[in-house]
């Protein structure tokens, strides 16, 4: 993904130098068709209207873009991390947080080869001073996170609409409230693609790109952060973002996704104290981490089809009631939640979100082949054990990266992560 973004930047770089005249024809968004839409809003803050879509997090969405006075106005366009619009978005030449090229970032960088002189800060969410919503509308307003975009999409229906001649998307909630997003396109050195909606989130993707909503396929995707896209602010008065554990057992937090099996998932790996920590690595059937993971150091010689409790790293380290998940439980988790890759506290991983706003983070912790994880900054992934054997020398694990999850067989002697589960108490 990052290589594709680099290629796109290189191909378009020379073209960006040719002309930097901002197009004054905005396709109607800021022109003569500025009659009011039917998004009346049901509250105001700092003089800006918002709509309550009844979302689990309590997030309230503004009825207009930053720089707009009506729902159908395009408003202003911003590079990610910049707070004022400009006449030309000439890729990296004028971008605030670099030294003129794609590999010289000076802020919001998690990959050293993208940073100026190897700079990294592992800051993956916009700070208030770099948030176009906060700086233009005042404290309280901010750009939505990647997770808040997904939540809004999960809890609304979407249809193409037109307000006073301006095309866009309308999101309708079950409580009857709705939001209109004009198809405001994006800016390079002129306004492009006003057939589609493009709206920033506050969440970094790769170092050179950030997450936004929209495009031809109307989905979350990453785009070069130096280009100009629209901003739709949000506010949350109760700050109920969800995502933390909603129960504890033996001192360890779990999340209840209301899965059909009743399985409760721990918020951390064995050996970790927070969701972002990798924790310890275990060979299948062994209950203690070690320095070397080879055939010579492997101590488990039995060949069961399902790992017994006395050889389960979750049970041995967290106590009775906790255990490693089965193959079916991993399948259920991925199929019954919405998953997406993201950064959390500077750590890449998969985040899983349910309809009620509960979430779980699985860090890309790699695996230990012999004596240490073989991390690659530009390509991260993780492996998590199940209790299921896969032949005499392998066991079933689940592989995750930024694009997929899948079942795989893996040598039992290698060190993989363990994410515990427990069964819901029976009443």
């Amino acid at each position: 993904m990052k290589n594709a973004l680099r290629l796109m930047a290189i191909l378009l770089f020379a073209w960006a130098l040719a002309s930097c005249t901002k197009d004054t024809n905005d396709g109607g968004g800021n022109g003569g068709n500025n009659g009011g839409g039917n998004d009346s809003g049901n509250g105001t803050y700092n003089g800006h209207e918002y709509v309550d879509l009844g979302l689990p997090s309590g997030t309230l969405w503004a009825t207009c873009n930053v720089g707009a006075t009506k729902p159908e106005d395009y408003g202003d366009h911003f590079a990610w991390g910049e707070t004022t619009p400009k006449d030309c978005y000439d890729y990296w030449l004028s971008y605030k947080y670099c030294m003129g090229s794609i590999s010289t970032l000076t802020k919001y960088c998690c990959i050293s080869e993208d940073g100026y002189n190897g700079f990294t800060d592992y800051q993956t969410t916009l700070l208030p001073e770099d948030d176009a919503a906060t700086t233009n509308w005042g404290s309280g307003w901010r750009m939505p996170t990647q997770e808040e975009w997904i939540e809004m999409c999960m809890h609304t229906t979407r249809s193409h609409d037109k307000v006073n001649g301006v095309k866009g998307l309308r999101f309708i909630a079950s409580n009857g409230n709705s939001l209109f997003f004009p198809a405001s396109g994006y800016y390079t050195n002129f306004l492009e693609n006003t057939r589609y909606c493009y709206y920033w989130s506050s969440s970094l993707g790769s170092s050179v790109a950030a997450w936004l909503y929209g495009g031809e396929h109307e989905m979350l995707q990453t785009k070069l952060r130096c280009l100009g896209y629209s901003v739709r602010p949000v506010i949350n008065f109760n700050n109920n973002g969800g995502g933390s554990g909603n129960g504890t057992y033996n001192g360890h937090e779990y999340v209840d996704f209301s899965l059909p099996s009743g399985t409760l998932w721990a918020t951390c790996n064995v050996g970790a104290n927070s969701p972002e920590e990798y924790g310890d690595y275990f060979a299948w059937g062994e209950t203690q981490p070690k320095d070397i993971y080879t055939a010579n150091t492997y101590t488990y010689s039995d060949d069961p089809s399902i790992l017994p409790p006395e050889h389960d790293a979750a049970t041995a380290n967290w106590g009775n009631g906790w255990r490693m998940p089965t193959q079916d439980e991993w399948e259920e988790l991925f199929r019954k939640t919405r998953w997406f890759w993201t950064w959390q506290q500077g750590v890449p991983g998969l985040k899983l979100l349910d309809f009620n706003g509960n979430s779980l983070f699985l860090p890309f912790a790699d695996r230990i082949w012999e004596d240490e994880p073989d991390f690659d900054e530009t390509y991260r992934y993780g492996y998590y054990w199940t209790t299921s054997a896969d032949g005499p020398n392998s066991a079933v694990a689940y592989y995750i990266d930024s694009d997929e999850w899948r079942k795989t067989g893996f040598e039992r002697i290698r060190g993989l992560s363990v994410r515990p589960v427990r069964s819901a108490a029976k009443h």
Side-chain angles (χ1 to χ4, degrees):
M1 176 182 63
K2 194 186 73 164
N3 289 335
L5 290 169
R6 287 182 177 279
L7 178 60
M8 181 169 65
I10 293 169
L11 292 174
L12 293 175
F13 182 76
W15 174 78
L17 295 175
S19 171
C20 281
T21 302
K22 192 167 185 179
D23 192 348
T24 57
N25 179 5
D26 58 15
N30 288 326
N33 296 327
N34 284 338
N38 58 3
D39 299 64
S40 60
N42 44 28
T44 62
Y45 184 76
N46 281 0
H48 300 283
E49 288 189 340
Y50 59 79
V51 168
D52 184 357
L53 300 172
L55 302 174
S57 68
T59 303
L60 307 169
W61 285 74
T63 60
C64 296
N65 294 345
V66 173
T69 58
K70 300 178 179 66
E72 65 271 26
D73 287 353
Y74 290 175
D76 295 320
H77 293 72
F78 301 87
W80 191 85
E82 296 183 354
T83 58
T84 56
K86 51 192 182 185
D87 292 331
C88 182
Y89 295 81
D90 50 355
Y91 293 86
W92 303 100
L93 287 180
S94 64
Y95 183 61
K96 181 178 181 179
Y97 290 122
C98 77
M99 300 298 289
S101 69
I102 193 172
S103 58
T104 58
L105 296 176
T106 58
K107 196 172 185 180
Y108 303 106
C109 184
C110 297
I111 299 173
S112 59
E113 68 182 70
D114 293 331
Y116 182 61
N117 290 332
F119 168 82
T120 55
D121 59 4
Y122 299 100
Q123 180 67 44
T124 58
T125 302
L126 283 177
L127 298 172
E129 62 267 25
D130 299 318
D131 187 310
T134 306
T135 56
N136 285 278
W137 283 20
S139 180
W141 289 108
R142 55 181 174 78
M143 289 162 60
T145 65
Q146 176 191 19
E147 188 170 332
E148 286 168 334
W149 270 111
I150 291 174
E151 178 192 49
M152 197 267 283
C153 292
M154 289 176 66
H155 288 269
T156 57
T157 58
R158 183 177 66 238
S159 63
H160 293 268
D161 198 2
K162 184 182 288 186
V163 175
N164 293 315
V166 180
K167 295 180 180 180
L169 291 175
R170 183 168 294 280
F171 293 80
I172 305 170
S174 59
N175 62 7
N177 292 329
S178 71
L179 280 173
F180 179 73
F181 289 80
S184 50
Y186 63 90
Y187 264 102
T188 52
N189 55 352
F190 56 86
L191 185 62
E192 298 187 53
N193 247 354
T194 53
R195 294 175 296 167
Y196 304 121
C197 298
Y198 293 94
Y199 286 81
W200 279 130
S201 80
S202 61
S203 303
L204 191 68
S206 66
S207 288
V208 299
W211 286 101
L212 57 69
Y213 175 83
E216 182 178 0
H217 302 292
E218 298 170 7
M219 59 185 288
L220 266 291
Q221 56 189 293
T222 56
K223 293 290 185 180
L224 291 174
R225 57 195 251 193
C226 56
L227 302 183
Y229 294 95
S230 298
V231 169
R232 178 61 62 95
V234 297
I235 194 167
N236 193 320
F237 295 117
N238 60 23
N239 205 26
N240 178 26
S244 61
N246 44 27
T248 60
Y249 184 76
N250 280 0
H252 300 284
E253 286 191 341
Y254 61 79
V255 170
D256 184 357
F257 284 124
S258 299
L259 299 171
S261 68
T263 304
L264 308 173
W265 283 79
T267 60
C268 299
N269 292 346
V270 174
N273 294 312
S274 70
E276 304 83 28
E277 291 184 20
Y278 299 150
D280 295 322
Y281 299 83
F282 299 88
W284 195 80
E286 296 184 350
T287 59
Q288 295 298 318
K290 54 190 180 183
D291 294 328
I292 303 293
Y293 292 79
T294 64
N296 290 334
T297 64
Y298 189 55
T299 61
Y300 187 57
S301 58
D302 294 346
D303 187 23
S305 58
I306 299 294
L307 197 64
E310 61 269 25
H311 292 285
D312 185 311
T315 306
N317 287 275
W318 283 20
N320 288 332
W322 290 108
R323 54 182 175 77
M324 288 162 55
T326 65
Q327 176 181 328
D328 288 344
E329 287 167 336
W330 274 111
E331 291 282 332
E332 178 187 54
L333 175 69
F334 288 122
R335 296 184 187 281
K336 296 294 183 181
T337 59
R338 177 75 177 267
W339 58 270
F340 55 96
W341 85 269
T342 190
W343 298 88
Q344 187 160 302
Q345 302 297 321
V347 177
L350 279 193
K351 196 158 195 177
L352 300 99
L353 185 69
D354 75 357
F355 195 78
N356 296 315
N358 296 312
S359 67
L360 192 72
F361 183 73
L362 298 171
F364 294 156
D366 205 322
R367 78 282 186 272
I368 297 183
W369 193 252
E370 289 187 354
D371 57 359
E372 62 181 13
D374 184 22
F375 285 128
D376 178 351
E377 278 192 319
T378 63
Y379 180 66
R380 289 288 185 87
Y381 51 84
Y383 288 91
Y384 287 80
W385 282 127
T386 76
T387 57
S388 304
D390 185 42
N393 300 310
S394 299
V396 176
Y398 274 79
Y399 168 88
I400 58 172
D401 66 18
S402 60
D403 297 316
E404 65 170 339
W405 59 268
R406 57 181 164 83
K407 181 183 75 171
T408 184
F410 211 84
E411 287 185 288
R412 299 180 183 184
I413 63 175
R414 305 307 180 187
L416 306 189
S417 300
V418 170
R419 178 57 63 98
V421 298
R422 64 182 302 265
S423 301
K426 296 181 179 179
H427 298 286

